[in-house]
Amino acid sequence: MAAQTKPVLHGYFRSSCSWRVRIAFALKGIEFDQVSVNLIKDGGEQLTEQYKTLNPMQQVPAVEIDGVTLSQSLAVIQYIDETRPGPRLLPADPKKRAQVRMISDLIASGIQPLQNLYVIQKIGSDKLQWAQHFIDRGFQALEPILKQTAGKYCVGDEISMADICLVPQVYNAAERFDVDVDQYPTIKRINQTLNEVEAFKVSHPSSQPDAP
Amino acid sequence: MAAQTKPVLHGYFRSSCSWRVRIAFALKGIEFDQVSVNLIKDGGEQLTEQYKTLNPMQQVPAVEIDGVTLSQSLAVIQYIDETRPGPRLLPADPKKRAQVRMISDLIASGIQPLQNLYVIQKIGSDKLQWAQHFIDRGFQALEPILKQTAGKYCVGDEISMADICLVPQVYNAAERFDVDVDQYPTIKRINQTLNEVEAFKVSHPSSQPDAP
């Protein structure tokens, strides 16, 4: 009865990819257990041999669910969506699904990896400028795309995986890397709307048990 | 009758993300037109205002299909899979689908963006070492994952989106960045098997009309 066991999220309160998975669980109303993997303490708990068996990439999140261990947040979110009832995280219409995935990947492949902790650590100097450059570059592309796809949320009027990716990325931009989000009115407006939604509130880093 | 118009792939022969889309079209037996976007000439044709309307990220590929323009290769591939007949690019089983997406995202978010042209251009010195570092880091994680998921191909014995991501990444590793792929026997073995498959052969950079 693996499906009746609560999923376990190995993550970190401030990791944007862990945050994405928390939002997906919350939107679906799925209870889960959290195990904190402190990315800073002792050089990073994600680097231990024990954690490496959960995710050989030595990144968070890793999710134990239905007898398998999955990493990569978008793979986890789509697995949840395909196996659990509750509100759809991807729309039924194939073109809208493609737009949701396009926006999600623009953030998950085009922005987030370039301002991730392990990349920033490799940059000698100008860490802040590096992160700002790639976030601004991504947001400059995302803004006109959202102008075409958005309704109340990123794609139309239903919350989707694209929104799940947007909120943590805007938080990183504004709170960690001092990017001026006022330059991107559509991004800013959707982010503000989403931050009022209960599933996003309970998933916020500041509400997690491992937040200082 | 938009679906009867041939899709148009705006890409570049050596771009690994364009290559992914070519493989997907070939596996599905879909005819398409190619428009070359030369990433090197005149500072890069992807930077023109004209191309920016197709993909505001100013990257290849962009695909015109069924009356919409899509970017982000994995979004395009999954759209093709969900709307076209032919061999499945993602398995029917949800856990296997999740593994295919996990492997695809490990490459598409965890490796490829960090050795992409526009990132390499930002690195002052040690461009080769930078790319090698992030490719080796990714392959060191991918190898044990594939040991668990692979049959003949990345996940079981059917070709999937994971294989579509693998081949261009191994090519980049071996041909462009001098990574020793012999260190990763499972990656090497699957890559060799895939390179014998007709859809992979016809999609190879050296077979494209814009190859020098």
Side-chain angles (χ1 to χ4, degrees):
Chain A
M1 300 295 110
Q4 294 181 347
T5 307
K6 268 198 268 183
V8 180
L9 167 63
H10 300 261
Y12 185 53
F13 75 104
R14 212 171 63 166
S15 140
S16 56
C17 300
S18 306
W19 186 357
R20 292 177 195 154
V21 174
R22 291 197 301 264
I23 299 168
F25 278 136
L27 286 168
K28 287 283 197 183
I30 299 167
E31 287 189 28
F32 62 103
D33 288 323
Q34 290 204 54
V35 176
S36 178
V37 181
N38 191 315
L39 302 186
I40 308 298
K41 193 178 153 193
D42 301 333
E45 291 177 351
Q46 77 280 15
L47 303 179
T48 62
E49 285 303 311
Q50 190 189 359
Y51 186 74
K52 203 173 171 178
T53 61
L54 290 170
N55 182 0
M57 274 297 263
Q58 300 179 286
Q59 297 174 329
V60 287
V63 177
E64 296 178 84
I65 185 167
D66 300 345
V68 293
T69 303
L70 297 173
S71 53
Q72 299 297 330
S73 59
L74 302 192
V76 173
I77 291 166
Q78 288 175 88
Y79 178 76
I80 294 170
D81 199 34
E82 292 178 353
T83 58
R84 263 60 179 182
R88 301 187 69 113
L89 304 180
L90 279 86
D93 174 69
K95 284 183 192 166
K96 287 194 174 172
R97 292 168 73 81
Q99 289 174 330
V100 165
R101 290 195 178 110
M102 175 174 72
I103 294 165
S104 300
D105 286 346
L106 190 158
I107 296 169
S109 295
I111 305 177
Q112 197 278 338
L114 298 165
Q115 48 94 80
N116 199 346
L117 180 66
Y118 70 86
V119 173
I120 294 289
Q121 283 170 341
K122 279 280 285 183
I123 306 292
S125 57
D126 295 332
K127 291 174 199 290
L128 184 67
Q129 276 188 320
W130 171 279
Q132 285 173 340
H133 170 81
F134 285 109
I135 294 171
D136 273 320
R137 183 178 180 284
F139 280 6
Q140 281 161 18
L142 187 56
E143 178 70 18
I145 289 172
L146 290 177
K147 275 188 184 145
Q148 294 194 351
T149 62
K152 189 172 178 188
Y153 303 115
C154 284
V155 177
D157 295 322
E158 303 293 333
I159 292 175
S160 73
M161 183 166 72
D163 301 294
I164 291 174
C165 293
L166 184 72
V167 167
Q169 187 58 64
V170 173
Y171 175 88
N172 272 358
E175 304 297 326
R176 297 178 63 186
F177 297 117
D178 204 20
V179 169
D180 176 15
V181 181
D182 287 345
Q183 298 173 79
Y184 312 106
T186 315
I187 292 174
K188 186 181 174 185
R189 189 256 304 163
I190 298 169
N191 182 64
Q192 283 179 334
T193 304
L194 289 164
N195 275 315
E196 296 304 313
V197 175
E198 187 62 19
F200 287 77
K201 283 187 189 171
V202 299
S203 309
H204 195 274
S206 62
S207 305
Q208 303 316 305
D210 57 343
Chain B
M1 297 297 112
Q4 296 182 347
T5 308
K6 269 199 267 184
V8 180
L9 168 62
H10 301 261
Y12 185 53
F13 75 105
R14 211 171 63 168
S15 141
S16 56
C17 300
S18 306
W19 187 356
R20 291 176 196 156
V21 174
R22 290 197 301 265
I23 301 169
F25 278 136
L27 286 168
K28 286 284 196 182
I30 298 168
E31 287 190 28
F32 62 101
D33 289 323
Q34 290 204 54
V35 176
S36 177
V37 181
N38 191 313
L39 302 186
I40 308 297
K41 192 179 153 193
D42 301 333
E45 292 178 349
Q46 77 280 15
L47 303 179
T48 63
E49 284 303 312
Q50 191 189 356
Y51 186 74
K52 203 173 171 178
T53 61
L54 290 170
N55 182 358
M57 275 296 265
Q58 301 178 285
Q59 297 173 330
V60 287
V63 177
E64 296 178 84
I65 185 166
D66 301 344
V68 294
T69 304
L70 296 174
S71 53
Q72 299 298 329
S73 60
L74 302 192
V76 173
I77 291 166
Q78 289 176 89
Y79 177 76
I80 293 169
D81 199 35
E82 292 179 352
T83 58
R84 263 60 177 183
R88 300 187 67 115
L89 304 179
L90 279 87
D93 174 69
K95 283 181 193 168
K96 287 194 174 171
R97 292 167 73 80
Q99 289 173 330
V100 165
R101 290 197 179 108
M102 175 175 71
I103 293 164
S104 301
D105 286 346
L106 190 158
I107 296 169
S109 295
I111 305 177
Q112 197 278 338
L114 298 165
Q115 48 93 80
N116 199 346
L117 181 65
Y118 69 85
V119 173
I120 294 290
Q121 284 170 342
K122 278 281 285 186
I123 305 292
S125 56
D126 295 332
K127 291 175 199 291
L128 184 67
Q129 276 188 322
W130 170 278
Q132 286 173 339
H133 170 81
F134 285 110
I135 293 171
D136 273 320
R137 182 177 182 283
F139 280 6
Q140 281 161 18
L142 187 56
E143 178 70 17
I145 290 173
L146 290 176
K147 274 186 185 146
Q148 294 194 350
T149 61
K152 188 172 179 188
Y153 303 115
C154 284
V155 177
D157 295 323
E158 303 293 335
I159 291 176
S160 72
M161 183 166 72
D163 301 294
I164 292 174
C165 293
L166 184 73
V167 167
Q169 187 58 64
V170 174
Y171 175 88
N172 273 356
E175 304 297 326
R176 297 177 63 186
F177 297 118
D178 204 21
V179 169
D180 177 14
V181 180
D182 287 345
Q183 298 173 79
Y184 313 105
T186 314
I187 291 173
K188 187 181 175 185
R189 189 256 304 162
I190 297 169
N191 181 63
Q192 282 179 336
T193 306
L194 289 163
N195 275 316
E196 297 304 314
V197 175
E198 187 62 19
F200 287 77
K201 283 186 188 171
V202 299
S203 309
H204 195 274
S206 63
S207 306
Q208 303 316 304
D210 57 342

